[in-house]
Amino acid sequence: MADLLHINQRVRENAERLTAALETHMRTIFAPDARKELRLFSAGEAADLLGISASFLRKLHFDNRIPDVHTTPGGRRHYSAQDLRNVREILESTAKTPGAYMKGRREGDKVQVLSFLNFKGGSGKTTSSIHTAHRLALKGYRVLCVDIDPQASLTTLFGYRPEYDFLQSGTIYDAIRYDDPVPMSEVIQQTFFTGIDLAPGGLMLQEFEHETPQALIGNIQPPFFSRMATALEEVEANYDVIIFDCPPQLGYLTMSALCASTGVLITIVPNMLDIASMSQFLQMSADLLDVVSDAGAVMQFDFLRFLINRYEPNDGPQQQVVSFLRQLFEDEVMVAPMLKSTAISDAGLTQQTVYEVERSQFHRQTYDRAVDSLNQVNDEIEALIQQAWGR
């Protein structure tokens, strides 16, 4: 017993030391208030995101059609994400074609709910989901990120500290719990990233996995597979896209997200161990989806795609695995893979995405290669969303 108490004490001490170190790290990066702020974008980046030429953007300023933005002493303009949204709205108001600049939902369009998932940890679910959210928001979509992983990595990337900020309450768990759930609007947080709100994750989500078997016995309504969709109904009109970052397990949380989803993106690292794991994941998913379908769940996916992640084009075995997957699943494998990049991993050291960091912080070729890869992946996802809306 003494040894066990000693181990417990050491574990607690280590946890406290790590928490203090992370607090210091956050304050060093995001001082003075330990909250993130999104950088400004160059005129070239702004024009690319708006889908116009740099010369046309300059003419808009010259003609006083759009407000002034931050300008350096050398005359270079820089745009905040809110500036981009303001310009986009002005251009849309005079566009001949509806949706030319504001490409989100129109009347009659259903909200697109995307789940990023895999049974295996380390497949890039969180990295993929947050880069997709950032790219879509920068292109004018209203995005809600829902972190249903108890580890709450997505929540952390938005500058929160789940172990402090949402230790007892404030996570998505509060909106889906069986005992007196709160409205979804009460748990949603506005983030530093214009166009993105967050329903945070945290350790309390694990309670949903523990409580669901008893809830099934007690026939508590709505059942677990409908609770996520039910919670989202209150707020879905406020968003074009909702993104789930799922835990690396096929539990009740993942199943509830799947039953609320219109699109599924399965991330896969192209090696045979991950392929074998995915085979088990797909078989288990099919079996469980059959069970919940028989119980009354309705699932209608507009698309399901396999997203190749951490891909190294010069790796021969990886090329063979990707060719194998394309032969097997054909069009369900996304055309664009997400490349393995030091820019992505280095940005993660400061809890940022590649879209947040300045190009000057990296070797230009490394940064441009990473951004090009991410843009191709996320623009392909955007095309799937638009196709689901009939466009």
Side-chain angles (χ1 to χ4, degrees):
M1 177 65 69
D3 288 342
L4 181 59
L5 290 174
H6 177 69
I7 291 172
N8 287 347
Q9 182 179 353
R10 286 299 303 275
V11 169
R12 189 175 301 279
E13 289 174 352
N14 287 339
E16 291 173 352
R17 289 171 59 193
L18 181 58
T19 298
L22 289 172
E23 169 76 5
T24 301
H25 180 64
M26 287 285 287
R27 290 196 178 278
T28 300
I29 300 169
F30 307 122
D33 60 359
R35 290 299 182 202
K36 301 178 75 173
E37 292 183 3
L38 184 59
R39 69 177 176 92
L40 300 178
F41 296 87
S42 69
E45 289 175 311
D48 178 68
L49 289 166
L50 292 167
I52 60 178
S53 67
S55 60
F56 182 53
L57 182 58
R58 287 193 298 271
K59 189 175 187 303
L60 290 173
H61 284 289
F62 183 79
D63 294 341
N64 293 319
R65 289 181 56 190
I66 57 178
D68 289 334
V69 297
H70 178 269
T71 306
T72 67
R76 293 182 180 275
R77 293 187 178 93
H78 291 87
Y79 300 77
S80 68
Q82 186 60 54
D83 290 332
L84 293 177
R85 183 168 289 271
N86 293 341
V87 173
R88 198 180 293 278
E89 290 174 351
I90 292 170
L91 292 174
E92 179 69 22
S93 67
T94 58
K96 295 180 180 179
T97 305
Y101 298 97
M102 300 293 292
K103 298 183 179 181
R105 295 167 69 187
R106 303 176 199 168
E107 186 175 353
D109 292 339
K110 65 182 178 182
V111 65
Q112 285 295 301
V113 185
L114 313 183
S115 282
F116 287 78
L117 72 157
N118 198 322
F119 184 70
K120 187 173 173 59
S123 64
K125 294 184 298 294
T126 301
T127 300
S128 301
S129 60
I130 194 168
H131 278 95
T132 298
H134 283 186
R135 176 69 172 174
L136 290 175
L138 288 171
K139 296 189 75 173
Y141 293 82
R142 302 168 301 163
V143 181
L144 172 64
C145 287
V146 184
D147 189 354
I148 61 169
D149 187 346
Q151 297 179 70
S153 297
L154 186 72
T155 301
T156 301
L157 284 169
F158 277 105
Y160 293 99
R161 297 160 296 167
E163 71 279 9
Y164 275 142
D165 298 329
F166 311 114
L167 182 61
Q168 298 296 331
S169 64
T171 71
I172 180 64
Y173 169 74
D174 293 343
I176 62 173
R177 67 192 185 198
Y178 296 99
D179 179 20
D180 194 22
V182 304
M184 185 73 170
S185 56
E186 292 188 14
V187 303
I188 290 176
Q189 303 283 330
Q190 186 175 5
T191 74
F192 73 98
F193 207 108
T194 300
I196 301 181
D197 290 341
L198 171 71
L203 286 174
M204 286 300 294
L205 274 166
Q206 198 61 38
E207 295 300 311
F208 188 77
E209 301 288 350
H210 298 155
E211 294 165 355
T212 295
Q214 192 63 36
L216 288 171
I217 294 173
N219 196 30
I220 296 178
Q221 298 297 317
F224 78 91
F225 52 80
S226 298
R227 298 190 78 82
M228 203 75 73
T230 300
L232 289 175
E233 285 178 357
E234 180 209 355
V235 299
E236 66 176 31
N238 300 327
Y239 303 101
D240 303 309
V241 181
I242 299 173
I243 293 177
F244 283 115
D245 183 30
C246 298
Q249 62 187 43
L250 196 58
Y252 297 116
L253 286 166
T254 300
M255 296 301 295
S256 187
L258 279 175
C259 291
S261 296
T262 60
V264 175
L265 293 135
I266 300 174
T267 56
I268 177 69
V269 178
N271 64 62
M272 290 313 295
L273 285 177
D274 283 68
I275 298 297
S277 174
M278 187 179 71
S279 175
Q280 299 176 47
F281 169 76
L282 292 175
Q283 185 60 57
M284 292 175 61
S285 298
D287 292 343
L288 287 173
L289 288 172
D290 283 343
V291 172
V292 296
S293 180
D294 291 342
V298 177
M299 286 164 288
Q300 294 180 334
F301 300 147
D302 292 321
F303 58 86
L304 182 150
R305 291 293 185 275
F306 297 94
L307 170 55
I308 305 299
N309 219 317
R310 295 166 58 188
Y311 178 56
E312 299 181 76
N314 296 324
D315 187 315
Q318 281 201 2
Q319 289 181 349
Q320 294 178 21
V321 171
V322 171
S323 295
F324 169 75
L325 290 172
R326 294 196 187 283
Q327 289 177 359
L328 196 62
F329 297 120
E330 300 179 336
D331 292 343
E332 289 189 336
V333 179
M334 289 183 60
V335 174
M338 185 175 289
L339 300 184
K340 183 177 182 179
S341 171
T342 56
I344 296 175
S345 55
D346 286 354
L349 291 175
T350 53
Q351 299 177 5
Q352 294 177 292
T353 69
V354 172
Y355 294 126
E356 294 178 71
V357 296
E358 298 278 359
R359 187 183 186 214
S360 59
Q361 296 181 29
F362 299 92
H363 187 282
R364 287 190 175 186
Q365 187 175 359
T366 301
Y367 179 84
D368 290 345
R369 179 174 174 269
V371 169
D372 288 345
S373 169
L374 290 165
N375 286 350
Q376 288 179 42
V377 169
N378 293 322
D379 291 352
E380 188 174 342
I381 293 173
E382 182 189 8
L384 291 169
I385 292 171
Q386 290 289 326
Q387 185 178 356
W389 287 331
R391 300 196 278 276

